[in-house]
Amino acid sequence: MVTLQYKVLLKCNRNMENKEVINTLSEIRNMMAKSTKVLSLSGISSIVVGCFALVASFIANMIINNEWPHYYKVRVLMIMSVVLFLLCFGTVLFFSKRKAEKSGMVFKFNQTVKKMLWNFFLPLMIGGIVCVGLIYQGHYGLTSSFMLLFYGLALINLSNYTFSNIKYLGYIQLILGIIDFLMIKYSLLFWALGFGISHIAYGIFFYCYIEKKNE
């Protein structure tokens, strides 16, 4: 009887030790994952960026339908694109820094952030060069589809260094870019759906179902 009780206790102790080992390994795995990912992205920034894109698409539509000379329209639209990009990038940085400070995290450009930015901006830079080439050759209707396609690839790359669900936003951009490529007449509409509506929808989802649960 005593031997049986001893065996039961020994088995229980081993099970408890195994559980502790598993829990410890799980904690180490989570810590390593956090150290190699940027977790300060904010859902609010995605909403704000989407709103900027919708306003920009409205202004772009007014410019396109204006009676200005064609070369002047192209120049104004390109300048507006650069301003929009800088405004959106600054917005993401501002809200990311604010979220990091609120969560007690250190916001700095470490090796992980540098890798993330490189993998995000590389497809964007290539896409920008392609779009400038299309505009130079007069294929204006194709620029929005290539913007969506390369931006979708950039988001999928980004998902390896931050929240993995951002890749689904990238897939949406790719789908819209392909449809836009086949329906050039509605290019501005698809651009607004991709950079505007989808960003707002993702930002609301991210803020309500991810950020709020982690607070």
Side-chain angles (χ1 to χ4, degrees):
M1 186 69 179
V2 174
T3 304
L4 181 60
Q5 290 178 346
Y6 176 76
K7 288 182 178 180
V8 171
L9 290 171
L10 184 61
K11 187 176 181 180
C12 289
N13 288 332
R14 286 178 178 175
N15 289 335
M16 290 179 66
E17 289 176 358
N18 290 335
K19 288 182 180 179
E20 289 178 359
V21 170
I22 292 172
N23 290 334
T24 302
L25 290 173
S26 179
E27 290 177 1
I28 293 172
R29 191 181 298 112
N30 290 333
M31 289 174 64
M32 291 179 64
K34 288 181 179 180
S35 65
T36 57
K37 289 182 179 289
V38 179
L39 303 178
S40 59
L41 294 183
S42 170
I44 297 177
S45 65
S46 181
I47 297 172
V48 175
V49 166
C51 292
F52 285 156
L54 289 179
V55 173
S57 63
F58 177 76
I59 296 173
N61 185 59
M62 292 177 60
I63 294 172
I64 292 171
N65 293 323
N66 200 287
E67 295 182 356
W68 293 343
H70 185 70
Y71 73 92
Y72 187 72
K73 290 181 183 180
V74 172
R75 187 174 299 177
V76 172
L77 288 172
M78 291 185 69
I79 294 172
M80 191 177 73
S81 299
V82 174
V83 172
L84 177 64
F85 172 78
L86 294 175
L87 187 61
C88 291
F89 184 66
T91 299
V92 172
L93 284 180
F94 171 78
F95 281 102
S96 295
K97 184 178 180 181
R98 194 178 74 165
K99 181 183 176 182
E101 293 173 350
K102 186 178 179 181
S103 303
M105 296 185 291
V106 179
F107 183 82
K108 59 181 181 179
F109 287 93
N110 55 23
Q111 195 65 27
T112 302
V113 174
K114 291 177 182 178
K115 286 183 179 179
M116 180 189 73
L117 292 175
W118 170 251
N119 282 272
F120 178 68
F121 280 111
L122 181 60
L124 289 185
M125 289 188 293
I126 296 173
I129 294 171
V130 171
C131 289
V132 170
L134 289 172
I135 293 173
Y136 180 75
Q137 296 180 39
H139 303 296
Y140 309 109
L142 295 174
T143 54
S144 62
S145 61
F146 277 91
M147 285 181 185
L148 290 168
L149 290 171
F150 281 99
Y151 182 59
L153 294 174
L155 289 176
I156 294 172
N157 275 358
L158 183 67
S159 67
N160 295 319
Y161 298 91
T162 183
F163 296 94
S164 60
N165 56 43
I166 202 171
K167 66 178 177 286
Y168 298 112
L169 180 60
Y171 295 150
I172 292 173
Q173 307 299 323
L174 292 179
I175 293 170
L176 289 172
I178 292 171
I179 298 173
D180 183 17
F181 185 78
L182 300 173
M183 303 175 66
I184 299 177
K185 292 182 179 180
Y186 304 98
S187 59
L188 192 58
L189 173 62
F190 285 107
W191 192 94
L193 287 173
F195 291 99
I197 301 299
S198 63
H199 264 282
I200 294 173
Y202 175 77
I204 293 172
F205 163 78
F206 188 87
Y207 180 78
C208 294
Y209 293 98
I210 297 178
E211 285 191 68
K212 283 296 183 181
K213 287 184 178 180
N214 293 332
E215 287 182 353

